[in-house]
Amino acid sequence: MTATEPGAGAPTAAAADLLYSEAENDLRSAVRSLLTDRCDPAAVIAGTESGRPYDADLWRALAADMGTAGLLVPEKLGGQGATAREAAVVLEELGRSAAPVPYLTSAVLAVEALLGCGPDSADVTELLAGLAAGRTVGALAVPMSTAPGATPPATVRVGEDGTLEGRAGSVAGAAGADVLLVPAQGPDGYGLHAVETAAPGIAVAPQVSFDPTRPVAEVTLTGAPARRLAGPDAAGAAVERALLAGAGLLASEQLGLAEWCLAETVSHTGERHQFNRPVGSFQALKHRLARLWLEIVSARAAARYAADCLAQESPDAPVAVAVAQATCATTAVHAAEECVQLHGGIGMTWEHPAHLYLKRAKSAEIALGTPGRHRSYLAVAADLPAPLG
């Protein structure tokens, strides 16, 4: 029976390819080599104590020299013309290193929001070129906890003179950003505006963040000059596009984090001895690590499918992203918790990097929608009734 014969249903999209291509593996090798040289755990821990929002030198090497900031930007707009699959590979490696760089917030969320505004505007193309070249760091000024499908209410308003008034809290990537993309309510409806952080009337105040490698901040706008990038017809869709891509690619970062935690724990339990034998040889620990490995295998399939759906602009993307987030967020937290616990006393020390991964996993669990929020979406999409009582 073919897809066009009676009873076959609607034609299906191209089958998803969950394997990594040769180009993706080459990209992984390049990014991993850079992070190995420039982003070892000691450097990351030192950076969290420096007061800097991110490692500017590492970001320059990753974004500008290597060109990863422009992966999602079409070539005609100054980018690499790649897809979400390649960006997912970069994020896997960034998760594996807990790297303090604004890749997710600038090269994914900000870029996708601008792409959703359409390439016809000179302001949009100029901003995209700057982000793709790594000259500019951007951030989408919505709370980091905002999930796809839940367009955030505009807490900023457009004044009669076109300036912006209001505030947005828990904005990831705002500290250290050059431009903010701010949803705002104006006389003619919802719109998306670009605000230079160096302009008068804007204040970015760092907030206490559970994850010091991905700081959040409160943005206050008081008569801040802005450029409108999209009006009511496109602004909401642009923000939704950014949130969907961000959530789907965050799953790949969570996957990389979980893989590092498993590898580090297996290595440690193989080296640590009790009763004249490696603790990793104890059956109880073998079972725990085997269970974690199975969870990571499932998480990898979910993350890869989400990235592939985003790359193909598949109509299945919202469901694929929800599955990936519901799976990868819980897997990353479990892997980080096991890493801390099975390292024993050293896992609880500041000097060991396990705490960086636990903090990143827990903060990512609530970023762009909690697992419960994504499971609720899946229940509605699949028409599953809520449990009674």
Side-chain angles (χ1 to χ4, degrees), residues 28-177:
R28 179 191 304 283
S29 297
V31 174
R32 184 175 295 187
S33 177
L34 172 67
L35 295 175
T36 299
D37 291 341
R38 306 280 292 274
C39 192
D40 61 276
V44 176
I45 292 173
T48 63
E49 299 174 323
S50 68
R52 298 175 299 172
Y54 61 88
D55 187 331
D57 292 336
L58 175 61
W59 174 246
R60 188 178 305 109
L62 179 72
D65 299 345
M66 194 170 287
T68 62
L71 285 177
L72 297 177
V73 179
E75 290 186 80
K76 64 180 181 180
L77 299 178
Q80 306 300 322
T83 69
R85 290 176 59 96
E86 289 78 15
V89 170
V90 174
L91 280 160
E92 283 182 34
E93 294 305 312
L94 295 177
R96 188 174 281 109
S97 300
V101 292
Y103 191 87
L104 180 69
T105 51
S106 182
V108 177
L109 288 170
V111 163
E112 287 288 350
L114 288 171
L115 290 173
C117 295
D120 298 332
S121 166
D123 287 335
V124 170
T125 56
E126 177 188 352
L127 287 170
L128 278 172
L131 292 175
R135 297 190 305 268
T136 304
V137 176
L140 180 63
V142 300
M144 192 57 178
S145 58
T146 308
T151 302
T155 57
V156 177
R157 296 195 64 83
V158 182
E160 294 182 358
D161 58 353
T163 61
L164 301 185
E165 299 276 347
R167 64 180 57 190
S170 300
V171 179

Side-chain angles (χ1 to χ4, degrees), residues 6-389:
T12 57
D17 182 4
L18 305 188
L19 301 178
Y20 297 98
S21 68
E22 183 178 352
E24 289 164 359
N25 284 326
D26 290 342
L27 175 62
R28 179 191 304 283
S29 297
V31 174
R32 184 175 295 187
S33 177
L34 172 67
L35 295 175
T36 299
D37 291 341
R38 306 280 292 274
C39 192
D40 61 276
V44 176
I45 292 173
T48 63
E49 299 174 323
S50 68
R52 298 175 299 172
Y54 61 88
D55 187 331
D57 292 336
L58 175 61
W59 174 246
R60 188 178 305 109
L62 179 72
D65 299 345
M66 194 170 287
T68 62
L71 285 177
L72 297 177
V73 179
E75 290 186 80
K76 64 180 181 180
L77 299 178
Q80 306 300 322
T83 69
R85 290 176 59 96
E86 289 78 15
V89 170
V90 174
L91 280 160
E92 283 182 34
E93 294 305 312
L94 295 177
R96 188 174 281 109
S97 300
V101 292
Y103 191 87
L104 180 69
T105 51
S106 182
V108 177
L109 288 170
V111 163
E112 287 288 350
L114 288 171
L115 290 173
C117 295
D120 298 332
S121 166
D123 287 335
V124 170
T125 56
E126 177 188 352
L127 287 170
L128 278 172
L131 292 175
R135 297 190 305 268
T136 304
V137 176
L140 180 63
V142 300
M144 192 57 178
S145 58
T146 308
T151 302
T155 57
V156 177
R157 296 195 64 83
V158 182
E160 294 182 358
D161 58 353
T163 61
L164 301 185
E165 299 276 347
R167 64 180 57 190
S170 300
V171 179
D178 301 304
V179 62
L180 300 177
L181 306 180
V182 185
Q185 192 70 30
D188 57 351
Y190 191 81
L192 188 65
H193 302 74
V195 179
E196 307 290 336
T197 56
I202 179 170
V204 179
Q207 296 177 299
V208 177
S209 175
F210 188 76
D211 177 11
T213 65
R214 180 172 285 151
V216 296
E218 181 179 64
V219 177
T220 303
L221 303 160
T222 310
R227 293 176 288 169
R228 193 172 85 157
L229 304 174
D233 294 337
V239 173
E240 171 62 17
R241 171 181 175 144
L243 294 174
L244 184 67
L249 293 177
L250 176 61
S252 291
E253 180 188 280
Q254 291 163 324
L255 169 63
L257 184 155
E259 289 178 334
W260 182 92
C261 289
L262 176 61
E264 184 72 12
T265 306
V266 169
S267 175
H268 175 74
T269 55
E271 296 171 355
R272 182 185 174 193
H273 284 66
Q274 284 185 351
F275 310 111
N276 293 321
R277 58 185 290 192
V279 297
S281 66
F282 299 155
Q283 190 171 25
L285 295 191
K286 285 183 178 180
H287 286 175
R288 288 171 66 170
L289 293 174
R291 176 190 171 196
L292 182 56
W293 181 82
L294 289 172
E295 290 179 12
I296 291 174
V297 170
S298 297
R300 184 182 300 112
R304 291 297 294 167
Y305 182 59
D308 191 72
C309 284
L310 290 170
Q312 295 188 45
E313 298 184 356
S314 167
D316 291 337
V319 169
V321 167
V323 170
Q325 266 303 302
T327 304
C328 295
T330 54
T331 298
V333 171
H334 182 211
E337 290 174 342
E338 291 284 68
C339 183
V340 171
Q341 186 172 15
L342 296 183
H343 272 76
I346 66 170
M348 300 298 294
T349 62
W350 182 262
E351 289 75 16
H352 194 278
H355 66 94
L356 293 174
Y357 292 86
L358 179 59
K359 292 170 183 175
R360 174 66 69 87
K362 291 297 289 184
S363 67
E365 185 182 29
I366 61 174
L368 300 169
T370 64
R373 167 67 175 76
H374 290 286
R375 284 193 289 268
S376 295
Y377 170 83
L378 289 172
V380 173
D383 195 23
L384 297 176
L388 298 177

